[in-house]
Amino acid sequence: MCQLFVKADANLWESHTRSLRIAGVVTSIRLEQYFWNVLQEVAYRDQMNVNQLITKLYLESLDADHDVGNFTSFLRVCCARYLSLMADGYVERQPNSSLSALESKTIMDKETKDIQLRKLTFSNIRNEQH
């Protein structure tokens, strides 16, 4: 199993810093190349560049009263969720399919139910092994 991760392209975990302007303030974001790649894909789907996507995520997070103190962690989780939503079949990997056009509430409701089911399943397996 570990070979899937250990033998991966080492460039994927190299960190890169990008400077951008959010609401008139210049800031820097440091992420691993893998996450920049995912953000690029997400941005492309909604016909934006990465800086526009990051700005949109930041401003919408503020509007939702989220603590954006660790915004880079938020971006990593966004990338992981995007990939997880595709792996679970909620989102298709189609470059011309806008993510903003999806029924997010329906998807998140299904995701929540599946997460609860997985927790229960793995909890039961763990209990049976002990």
Side-chain angles (χ1 to χ4, degrees):
M1 173 197 82
C2 292
Q3 296 303 305
L4 287 171
F5 307 111
V6 173
K7 299 269 180 166
D9 181 0
N11 292 324
L12 293 175
W13 60 81
E14 283 185 16
S15 292
H16 298 278
T17 303
R18 293 190 186 181
S19 293
L20 61 142
R21 185 178 304 271
I22 298 176
V25 177
V26 176
T27 188
S28 295
I29 296 177
R30 185 172 185 82
L31 290 169
E32 294 76 13
Q33 184 59 48
Y34 183 80
F35 294 111
W36 288 118
N37 293 350
V38 174
L39 289 171
Q40 178 65 49
E41 180 176 330
V42 172
Y44 179 83
R45 290 184 68 154
D46 279 314
Q47 300 177 355
M48 291 184 265
N49 62 43
V50 173
N51 288 2
Q52 290 169 324
L53 172 66
I54 290 171
T55 299
K56 183 176 178 81
L57 287 170
Y58 183 83
L59 295 175
E60 287 184 8
S61 294
L62 288 179
D63 287 345
D65 291 327
H66 291 300
D67 176 12
V68 290
N70 195 346
F71 189 63
T72 55
S73 290
F74 172 74
L75 292 174
R76 286 184 187 95
V77 170
C78 288
C79 292
R81 288 199 66 245
Y82 171 71
L83 297 172
S84 179
L85 290 168
M86 281 194 300
D88 289 341
Y90 303 128
V91 174
E92 293 184 29
R93 193 171 219 155
Q94 295 180 0
N96 297 329
S97 173
S98 171
L99 292 175
S100 60
L102 297 175
E103 291 290 329
S104 59
K105 180 165 178 10
T106 303
I107 292 171
M108 289 189 299
D109 288 346
K110 289 179 185 177
E111 179 189 31
T112 299
K113 287 178 186 175
D114 284 349
I115 288 170
Q116 291 170 345
L117 182 61
R118 277 195 293 265
K119 283 181 182 178
L120 181 63
T121 300
F122 292 125
S123 173
N124 289 339
I125 291 171
R126 205 172 319 132
N127 291 336
E128 291 172 4
Q129 292 175 349
H130 290 96

